[in-house]
Amino acid sequence: MNDTLRYIMTKIFLAIPILIGITLLAFGLGLIARGDPALARLTVDPDYIPTEEEVQALREEMGLTDPIFIQYGRWISGVVKGDLGESYLDDKPVLSEMLRLLPNTLLLSFMSLTLIVVLGLLGGILLVVFQDRLFDVIGRILSIFIMSVPGFCLAYFMIWVFAQKLKLLPTSGTEPMTAFIMPCLALALSSACLVARLLRSSILGELVQDYALTARAKGLRKSQLVFRHTLRNALTPSVTHIANVFGGFLGGSMITESIFSIPGIGTYALTAINNRDYTAIQGYVLFTGFAFVLVCLLSDLICSYLNPQIRLGRRV
Amino acid sequence: MDIRVEDLYVRFATLSGDIEAVNHVDLTFSQDQITGLIGESGSGKSVLGLTIMGLLQSNATVEGRIFLGERELISLSEKDLCAIRGREIALVAQNPATSLNPSQKVGRQIEEVFRLAGEGKVDSTRRTHELLERMGFSDSERVMHSYPFELSGGMCQRILTAIAVAAHPRWIIADEPTKGLDAVVRNQVYDTFCMVKEQYNVSLIVITHDLLLARKFCDQIVVLYSGRVLEINTAQAIFNNPRHPYTQGLIASLPHLGMRPMPGFSAAFTDQPSGCVFHPRCPYIDEDCRKIEPKLIPVEEGSVRCHRYS
C-alpha cells in the first residue's frame, strides 16, 4: 500500500512542472501570435479607423507595453485567483464564458466516453470470443470501414438519415437531450471501433503468454480465461488511448460542435481564433492543457491499478 | 489409469513450411510411475506433453489417439477437455517467472483451482493456506498476498506445483521443472516433487533435459529425438546401459562422465534426413541407416529404434 501511495504522489508531483509549462506556453502563444490586440479591439467596427495615439493609449491601458515577465506575472496571478482576463472583443470575463459553455462540452464528452468504453470493450471482447468466426470477420471489416469515414462525413450522413428522412432526431442545438445523440455518435464511433480492434489484438497477445497456458491447464474455458486473466493485462493500451481521446474531447470538438450548432468550448475557441481574441485563446489553451494533463494522470493511475508491476515496480 | 499414446502425429503449419513436431509416437505412461521424457530442445517433448492436455495453439494438426483409461482425449470437445484439465491431468508449465499471471496475487491464482472444483470462498482460502504450508512456505499469509514478481523463481515454481496438485489430479505433466534454476533450487524442486508423489499419490510425466534429475527421480525414461522415440527403458538401464547411439552420446556428455559433446546438431524440422533421423550424427552409420527408417525394437526390458539391434 505504501508503494502505491508513493507512486501516486510521484505522479502528481511530476504533473506540476508540466502544468507550469502549460501556463508558459499558453501565455507565450499569445505573445508570439500577437498581431496587435489593441488595434484589433479598436477595429471591431470596420468603418472606424483609429488614430495612432488612440492605439498607443489603449496599448498602455491594456498593459501591453510592460515587460513580458510583468505581463506574465499579472496574468498568472489572475489565473491563480480564477481570473483569466476579459475578452479583448466584448470585455466578458473569459472564465465565466467558458464555464457557461462547459456543461455542453462536458455532457458531450462524457456521453462519448461512455460510448467508447462500452462499445470498445464489448466489441473487443466479443471479437476475441468469436475469433476467426463470422462475427469476428464482419466486425473487423465493419470497424475498419467506420474508422476510415471522417467524423464530419458521418455527421452529415446521420443528419440526412435521422433528421431529414426519418425525422427522429433534431438536426442541431442542445434541446431536447436527444439532440446530443448524433454529435456523440459522430465523435465516438470511430474511436470505439479503434478501441475494439486495439483490445482484440492485445487480448490475443495475452492469450499466448505463458501464464495463459497455466490458466488453461487449470481447466478454464476461453471466456473465463479472457475475463479472469487476460482482459486486465490487455487493458493498458486501450486505457491510454481512451484517455488521449477523452482529453481531446474535453477541449471541445470544434468540427462536431459547429456542425450540430452546440455552443461549447470548441465553438468558443473557434470564435476566439477567428477574432484573434488572445485572452480567450490563452484561457482556452490553459483549460485544455490542464484538462489533458489531469486526464492523463488519471489514466496513469488506472493503468497502475490494472498492472501492479507499474506501481510496485522497484522490485522487478 | 494409464495414459496411452497411439501413433501420435503433430504438425504445425508455419510460414517456413510444415513442422512435424511429434512423428508417429507410441507410448504408454504407466500409472504410479514417474516417466521422464528427455531429449534436446526441439525434440518434441514439450509438444507431446501439451498434446496430451489438448493445449496446443490453433495452428497445430493432431492425428492419432491418446487414451486416459478408456477415454480417448483427442476426439473430446473443448468443454469435456476443460473438465479433465486440472482435475485429472494437471500441468506444471515451464518458465516459473512468466507462467503466473503478473497482475493477480498468487493466493487468488491457487484459490481459483478450488473454486473451479466447486468449493466455496472460505474453504478455498483455507485450503490454499494448507497447501502453501505443505509446499514449504512458512509464511503462507504473506505469500498469498504477493504478486508473482515479488517472489523468487524457486518460489514461483512451488506455486505452480501447488496449482497443479490443488485439485488432486491423477496425473501431473511437469514441463522442464528445473529449467533456469540454480543447483540449490533444483534440489528443492526435486524434494517438492518427491513430496507431491508421496502425499498426493499422483503419476508424473517429467519433461526435462536435466538428465541428473531424470535419473534421480524417474522410474522409466523415454528418449526423444526429432519428434521420434529412440529409446525407452528403466532409468537405471538407460544410464548404466544406454543402447541407442544418441542415448549413449547424451550420457557421455554429462559433466561427471567426461562432458564429451556429441558432434553435429539435430536436423531442421523442415528438412528431415531420410532413413534413421539420427544417421547424420551417428558414429556407427551403416548403408541401411541412410535409407530405411528403423522400427522400435524390444530389447530385454526396454526398446530401441536402431538397426544395430535388429
Side-chain angles (χ1 to χ4, degrees), chain A residues 207-208 210-211 213-214 216-221 224 228-229 232-233 306-309 311-312 315-316, chain B residues 50 55 57 82 85-86 91 93 95 98-104 109 112-113 116 147 149-150 160 163:
Chain A
L207 283 177
V208 296
D210 289 341
Y211 74 84
L213 185 70
T214 305
R216 284 173 71 205
K218 288 177 185 172
L220 288 171
R221 287 195 303 278
Q224 292 172 317
R228 296 190 196 169
H229 289 275
R232 181 174 181 162
N233 294 322
L306 291 172
N307 183 351
Q309 250 167 311
R311 63 188 137 94
L312 308 174
R315 272 175 276 182
V316 174
Chain B
L50 292 182
L55 285 174
Q57 298 292 336
C82 283
R85 289 184 201 135
L91 175 76
N95 304 330
T98 55
S99 287
L100 289 164
N101 188 343
S103 61
Q104 217 175 65
Q109 301 192 46
E112 188 173 32
V113 184
L116 275 173
Y147 289 101
F149 57 86
E150 297 175 300
L160 282 175
I163 288 175

Side-chain angles (χ1 to χ4, degrees), chain B residues 98-154:
Chain B
T98 55
S99 287
L100 289 164
N101 188 343
S103 61
Q104 217 175 65
K105 291 178 177 165
V106 296
R108 261 188 72 188
Q109 301 192 46
I110 302 173
E111 275 173 35
E112 188 173 32
V113 184
F114 293 118
R115 299 301 299 273
L116 275 173
E119 299 216 20
K121 178 109 189 68
V122 182
D123 277 349
S124 303
T125 311
R126 181 178 52 77
R127 293 187 61 179
T128 303
H129 270 294
E130 287 169 11
L131 183 55
L132 281 174
E133 269 155 31
R134 215 186 263 196
M135 283 293 152
F137 289 102
S138 48
D139 47 354
S140 63
E141 189 62 38
R142 189 186 68 82
V143 173
M144 272 183 81
H145 291 101
S146 300
Y147 289 101
F149 57 86
E150 297 175 300
L151 303 175
S152 69

